[in-house]
Amino acid sequence: MSHKQQNLGRVLVRRARPEDLRYIMPIERASFATPWSEESMRSELSHQDGAVYYVVESDGSVEGYVGAWMYSGEAHILTIAIAPARRGQGLGELLMLTILGHAYKAGCDSAVLEYRVSNKIAEALYLKLGFRPVAVRPGYYTDNNEDAVCALMDDLEDRE
C-alpha cells in the first residue's frame, strides 16, 4: 500500500438512505463473492430497529458504505465496501471511524466483526483501529468454506 497523499476531492460521510441502493448494489456485487440481495439491502437501508448504515461520497458520487446492527451495548459491523477504483485511499478507514463513533454515541461499549482469514487488507485496518482477534469461525464463508476471524473492540469509550 502506498503512503503517498491522495486528493480525495470533496468527501462527505452521511447516513445511507434507501435511494442510495442504486449506488450501493454495484459496489456490493464488485466486492463480495456472495453479495447480499437487493431485497436484503433494501430492508437494511430502511433503518429497521438497530440497523445503522453510512455512505461516503466523493465529489457527489457514492464510493462506499458501512453497516452495523447495534443491540444491547454492542455494535456488530455487518459490512463495509469501497468501490474498486477508490480502494486504498482511506475511505474505508473513514467509514469505520464514523460507524464506531456512532456506536459510542449510541451507548455501545464494544464492537465485533468478522473477516476472511485471507483478507490481509481488512485485517490490517481492523488491527490499526484497535480490534483484536478473539476466535476463528470454521467454514464461515459459504462460497469457498473459508474460515472467518472474529475480532472484538471492547473499549469504545477509550476511543472517543
Side-chain angles (χ1 to χ4, degrees), residues 13-16 24 41 45 51-56 64-68 76-82 91-92 94-100 113 126:
V13 177
R14 62 170 174 77
R15 288 291 294 265
I24 289 172
M41 190 65 76
L45 293 181
V52 177
Y53 279 74
Y54 283 89
V55 294
V56 61
Y65 58 93
V66 64
H76 189 137
I77 312 290
L78 301 170
T79 187
I80 181 169
I82 303 298
L91 297 176
L94 179 59
L95 283 170
M96 285 296 297
L97 291 170
T98 299
I99 201 82
L100 292 170
L113 53 77
Y126 301 145

Side-chain angles (χ1 to χ4, degrees), residues 4-158:
K4 67 180 182 180
Q5 207 163 12
Q6 306 233 359
N7 180 4
L8 296 178
R10 183 176 166 270
V11 175
L12 169 71
V13 177
R14 62 170 174 77
R15 288 291 294 265
R17 303 181 293 253
E19 55 267 26
D20 293 323
L21 193 63
R22 63 184 173 158
Y23 306 109
I24 289 172
M25 287 313 298
I27 297 170
E28 174 78 9
R29 287 189 288 271
S31 300
F32 300 107
T34 54
W36 286 17
S37 71
E38 192 165 331
E39 182 178 304
S40 293
M41 190 65 76
R42 185 180 318 282
S43 174
E44 291 291 309
L45 293 181
S46 68
H47 303 296
Q48 64 184 7
D49 289 342
V52 177
Y53 279 74
Y54 283 89
V55 294
V56 61
E57 292 182 359
S58 179
D59 292 326
S61 175
V62 173
E63 301 289 355
Y65 58 93
V66 64
W69 288 343
M70 303 199 186
Y71 292 108
S72 302
E74 180 181 272
H76 189 137
I77 312 290
L78 301 170
T79 187
I80 181 169
I82 303 298
R86 298 306 301 269
R87 291 179 185 158
Q89 299 175 10
L91 297 176
E93 184 173 352
L94 179 59
L95 283 170
M96 285 296 297
L97 291 170
T98 299
I99 201 82
L100 292 170
H102 181 105
Y104 173 76
K105 289 175 184 150
C108 295
D109 55 339
S110 64
V112 65
L113 53 77
E114 293 89 17
Y115 61 91
R116 289 176 185 267
V117 295
S118 64
N119 192 341
K120 298 306 180 189
I121 293 172
E123 180 177 63
L125 173 60
Y126 301 145
L127 291 174
K128 176 183 177 182
L129 292 174
F131 283 89
R132 60 185 171 81
V134 294
V136 173
R137 299 188 195 282
Y140 184 82
Y141 293 98
T142 58
D143 64 312
N144 65 357
N145 209 35
E146 185 173 0
D147 296 348
V149 175
C150 181
L152 174 69
M153 178 187 290
D154 56 4
D155 55 356
L156 280 179
E157 68 277 1
D158 295 337

